[in-house]
Amino acid sequence: MENIFIATKTIFNTIIQKAGREEKEKNSETGNKENELIVSGDGSWSKRGFSSLFGVITLIGHYSNKVLDLAVKSSFCKACISWRSKRDTPEYDKWLNTHHDNCLANHAGSAGKM
């Protein structure tokens, strides 16, 4: 699984960088400053309405119509839920120190604000 993740992430980053270069070139050809891109953003949630725990946000280039960036937002982390009952214990404090950088919950608030 780790090898598949690394390979997929590498390919994704390569494609995103290529799309960014293409957008900059097309932006420059129209007389705009190369690094002042025009983009549109779009978001999607895993469930209808505003109660979803997961969402995806993308930025799409105006001239290339390609995805220039993507972010996965989550207000849920299974590990945090599992450890919740062990709060106020030395084991929890030790786990929390190592988990903070790997926590899957990267959004606080409503799904509509993702």
Side-chain angles (χ1 to χ4, degrees), residues 24-102:
K24 285 180 179 182
E25 288 172 11
K26 290 184 176 191
N27 193 44
S28 184
E29 288 170 5
T30 62
N32 298 322
K33 292 182 181 177
E34 185 181 271
N35 289 328
E36 292 182 9
L37 303 179
I38 301 168
V39 297
S40 63
D42 192 19
S44 180
W45 296 268
S46 64
K47 287 195 311 191
R48 254 185 124 146
F50 293 104
S51 62
S52 183
L53 299 174
F54 303 97
V56 178
I57 298 97
T58 56
L59 284 181
I60 301 163
H62 177 72
Y63 297 107
S64 67
N65 294 319
K66 293 183 179 180
V67 174
L68 302 178
D69 200 7
L70 173 130
V72 177
K73 302 300 279 180
S74 172
S75 59
F76 176 80
C77 177
K78 181 68 175 169
C80 289
I81 301 297
S82 297
W83 278 87
R84 188 182 297 167
S85 64
K86 296 180 182 179
R87 285 185 184 167
D88 301 323
T89 66
E91 293 86 13
Y92 176 82
D93 293 337
K94 184 177 178 182
W95 169 81
L96 187 60
N97 286 334
T98 60
H99 176 70
H100 184 70
D101 292 335
N102 300 315

Side-chain angles (χ1 to χ4, degrees), residues 2-38:
E2 184 69 23
N3 288 339
I4 292 170
F5 171 75
I6 291 168
T8 304
K9 185 176 180 180
T10 301
I11 291 168
F12 173 80
N13 288 335
T14 301
I15 291 170
I16 291 294
Q17 289 173 359
K18 183 178 178 184
R21 285 191 302 271
E22 183 180 329
E23 184 66 25
K24 285 180 179 182
E25 288 172 11
K26 290 184 176 191
N27 193 44
S28 184
E29 288 170 5
T30 62
N32 298 322
K33 292 182 181 177
E34 185 181 271
N35 289 328
E36 292 182 9
L37 303 179
I38 301 168

